[in-house]
Amino acid sequence: MQKPIVAIVGRPNVGKSTLFNRIVGQRLAIVENIPGITRDRLYQDAEWSGRSFTLIDTGGLDFYDDTEITGNVRKQAELAIEEADVILFVVDSRAGLTSNDVEIARLLRRSERPVILVANKVEQFDKNDYLEFYSLGLGDPIPVSAAEGLNTGDMLDAVVSRLPAAEEADSEKDIIKIAVIGRPNVGKSSLVNKMLGQERVIVSDIPGTTRDAIDTYFEHSGRSYLLIDTAGIRRKSRIDLPTERYSVIRSLRAVDRCDVVLMLIDAVEGVTEQDKKIAGYAYEQGKASVIVVNKWDLVEKDDRTSDVYTRNIREELGFMKYAPVVFISALTGQRVIKILQAVDSAAENYSLRVSTPGLNNLVRDSVQQNPPPTHKTRRLKIYYASQSGVKPPKFVFFINDPELAHFSYMRYLENQIRAAYGFQGTPIRFLLRKKNKEE
């Protein structure tokens, strides 16, 4: 299900990042100790009153500084505004109304997006120090103190009330939904056009839920697919960004809606920090994935090049070792046909269920072969395991104490399950539940 996007905008030093941290902190998200996931993002999932959304932090907007850096920040913020479902416009109640606030308000009115005016740094709510912001013509300012967390609940209630209606579950169960994601200029458009051009069996073009995007249905070898539009596919963005700071926003939307992610890597440049951020989001959302190394025709090769390159990818994207790696050239069409073979396998494993007796026999044998280590004279005991869901596959372990389940030992059990059942192309999730032996 696609998550709505909420963008935080405002001039410099009004407390946007403090508000961002306050909102995502209230979600109390668990951070997994897995190497390779970059966490210094300007976007993060948040939740309030049962509604999930993706929160975007933006740089400070300054319309009176003509330097190249501020111009780039302004373009990046405009992209965030273009993609947002709701905008939090943050102003500084201590500093009062400024000319930059007025210019930002004009920009937001032109965007025709729902705007919530947030008067930050309010310390005494009975003094009405924020009333001058009514002149911006954006409705009632909501006074908050992001630093102290005061009145942010009322602000989030206003956000949730303006989010688009939650989408219903997708009934097209037999269609594999594919999102092609990656940094700008890695060849997403070329790959999509090559895939569609080779198949030549396009059923229809329908408007997608992403603004100005097209979702394309096609068939190959008797199977149906939906190719989900992301930034750069079949059209150029209306905003020419010299930087990549917000290039991931449309990719986030596509990832939320897909079954299988095609994560494009530039063979010449290798894995970058931006690649880690984009791939990390796909992993955290539990999506099946195929790593596609494009522009392979531009790399000087010998008989070991692909092996060396694959090992490097496994090191840089350590959290996505389950994803197959396909080397292609979207320009020439070299090995593009192998992508759908990898997609079919990943999608099948994404929905794979295993038998409960077979799973428990495997777990019992794995524990006997390599018993859990002791911790302060106590040892992890696994009483029972069962699969609780798919997309991605989820397993529940009933154990004596979750604190005894060390990360490295659970990774060992994951490796044993993968060795027995495959699950190539999909993450798998473990849920630990405390039970005593009698239960």
Side-chain angles (χ1 to χ4, degrees), residues 219-420:
E219 295 179 355
H220 176 70
S221 299
R223 304 194 73 163
S224 299
Y225 305 87
L226 173 64
L227 204 56
I228 299 174
D229 192 12
T230 63
I233 292 181
R234 301 178 67 187
R235 67 178 179 86
K236 291 184 178 180
S237 173
R238 285 176 290 174
I239 299 176
D240 182 20
L241 285 180
T243 61
E244 301 174 359
R245 195 176 183 188
Y246 292 99
S247 63
V248 298
I249 297 176
R250 288 195 181 103
S251 294
L252 303 188
R253 289 189 180 276
V255 168
D256 289 340
R257 298 170 53 215
C258 78
D259 299 310
V260 182
V261 161
L262 298 184
M263 178 65 210
L264 257 67
I265 305 292
D266 188 313
V268 177
E269 298 182 11
V271 178
T272 68
E273 285 301 308
Q274 188 77 340
D275 293 327
K276 293 180 184 180
K277 294 176 184 179
I278 299 172
Y281 184 81
Y283 167 80
E284 289 169 344
Q285 301 308 307
K287 302 298 181 177
S289 300
V290 177
I291 299 173
V292 180
V293 182
N294 191 26
K295 306 182 185 179
W296 194 237
D297 54 312
L298 302 180
V299 175
E300 293 186 8
K301 296 176 283 291
D302 56 31
D303 58 348
R304 298 179 301 171
T305 305
S306 61
D307 291 337
V308 172
Y309 210 101
T310 299
R311 284 198 299 271
N312 182 64
I313 289 175
R314 297 304 185 202
E315 291 176 1
E316 295 293 332
L317 301 178
F319 54 88
M320 203 175 265
K321 291 182 179 179
Y322 53 83
V325 180
V326 181
F327 297 90
I328 70 155
S329 169
L331 181 64
T332 66
Q334 180 185 20
R335 284 192 288 273
V336 169
I337 194 64
K338 292 185 177 296
I339 293 176
L340 285 182
Q341 297 172 5
V343 166
D344 290 344
S345 176
E348 182 177 347
N349 290 325
Y350 193 49
S351 301
L352 179 63
R353 286 188 179 273
V354 302
S355 71
T356 299
L359 174 64
N360 281 278
N361 288 337
L362 173 64
V363 171
R364 183 180 62 252
D365 292 345
S366 299
V367 170
Q368 290 177 350
Q369 180 179 347
N370 181 19
T374 59
H375 178 69
K376 296 181 179 179
T377 71
R378 299 185 65 209
R379 189 187 299 272
L380 171 70
K381 294 181 180 179
I382 302 176
Y383 303 125
Y384 187 75
S386 65
Q387 185 172 356
S388 60
V390 294
K391 293 187 175 183
K394 305 176 187 69
F395 298 90
V396 181
F397 287 80
F398 298 93
I399 61 179
N400 59 332
D401 188 350
E403 293 186 358
L404 298 176
H406 192 271
F407 169 81
S408 61
Y409 194 78
M410 300 312 296
R411 176 53 59 91
Y412 160 72
L413 291 179
E414 177 182 340
N415 291 337
Q416 295 298 107
I417 291 174
R418 288 188 181 278

Side-chain angles (χ1 to χ4, degrees), residues 103-152:
E103 292 298 330
I104 296 170
R106 289 175 181 169
L107 174 65
L108 296 180
R109 281 195 293 269
R110 291 196 300 269
S111 74
E112 298 182 349
R113 304 287 189 267
V115 177
I116 298 171
L117 182 59
V118 181
N120 191 27
K121 304 183 184 179
V122 175
E123 298 172 349
Q124 294 180 314
F125 287 79
D126 57 346
K127 285 194 173 184
N128 296 327
D129 293 334
Y130 51 89
L131 296 182
E132 61 182 316
F133 295 106
Y134 275 97
S135 64
L136 293 174
L138 294 172
D140 297 340
I142 299 179
V144 304
S145 172
E148 302 296 332
L150 300 177
N151 210 36
T152 53

